[in-house]
Amino acid sequence: MKSRSEELRETIEEMIAVGTLAPGQHLDETELATRFGVSRTPIRETLIQLASMGLVVIRPRRGAVVAELGPRQLVEMFEVMSELEATCARLGARRMTPLEQQALLDAHEECKIASVAKDPDDYYYKNEAFHYAIYAGSHNQFLIDQARSLSRRLRPYRRLQLRVRDRLPTSFAEHDGLVQALIDGNGELAAQRARDHVMIQGQRFTDLMASLPQLTAAAS
């Protein structure tokens, strides 16, 4: 059973991921305490936890704000994310059990349903489950922890990407090629397809930069 502190952290983390709390937005402890019906102490503890994850920045005597990423930071973090995912895919191609392969196929099918429905919010959650299935298949807990940590840090931006025109069917097609390489046990091909799927560059980077104001607008 989750503690109240864990529930608070997950709720606020989700609000950041979906843009309800936008990058750069001030996080007022009193306001959050009133919203969740708790004292300021658990809110303060939650913000410290989120700061350790890189989702919040706590400034001396100025309080906490939702962390912002500049263009260079985004590129650098997506670059590292793509390499972590590539490593997970390479190991997963060798190590995934039949049950884990089936879990991946099930997650892939759920992504297809959301893609066909043109529902970016539903696809976002199904897409996350799909990637987590690949992480699990690596059978390397340290790698899994690192991949999940950075993935959480990038959640608002990965979600935003899915709202770019035609990104859902493109993402699903990329998943399709990645799944095939994983099931075939082709580690190098799986790694390359995972890397290409996650990396932000060229037009994808331009589209993401153009969409960033939506995060702020969502909280207005």
Side-chain angles (χ1 to χ4, degrees), residues 79-97 100-101 104 128-151 158 178-179 181-183 185-195 197-198:
E79 188 172 58
V80 173
M81 188 78 252
S82 69
E83 292 301 327
L84 289 175
E85 299 244 4
T87 302
C88 287
R90 182 184 295 106
L91 295 177
R94 298 203 309 263
R95 299 176 177 178
M96 290 182 92
T97 66
E100 288 170 334
Q101 289 180 339
L104 177 66
E128 189 168 63
F130 174 85
H131 285 271
Y132 281 10
I134 297 174
Y135 303 169
S138 73
H139 290 245
N140 182 316
Q141 192 57 52
F142 181 79
L143 175 62
I144 292 167
D145 291 343
Q146 296 304 306
R148 288 176 71 108
S149 176
L150 185 52
S151 179
R158 296 186 82 163
L178 176 53
V179 167
L182 285 163
I183 298 300
N186 190 330
E188 290 310 312
L189 183 58
Q192 186 58 54
R193 288 179 174 173
R195 184 182 295 109
H197 174 61
V198 175

Side-chain angles (χ1 to χ4, degrees), residues 4 15 20-21 25 29-38:
R4 183 56 173 152
M15 291 170 72
T20 303
L21 297 172
Q25 183 173 340
E29 290 182 6
T30 302
E31 182 181 313
L32 290 171
T34 300
R35 175 183 292 194
F36 295 112
V38 298

Side-chain angles (χ1 to χ4, degrees), residues 9 13 46 48-56 149 152-153:
R9 180 185 57 74
E13 180 183 341
T46 297
I48 290 172
Q49 291 177 33
L50 292 171
S52 72
M53 297 164 57
L55 293 172
V56 165
S149 176
R152 285 197 301 270
R153 181 68 182 84

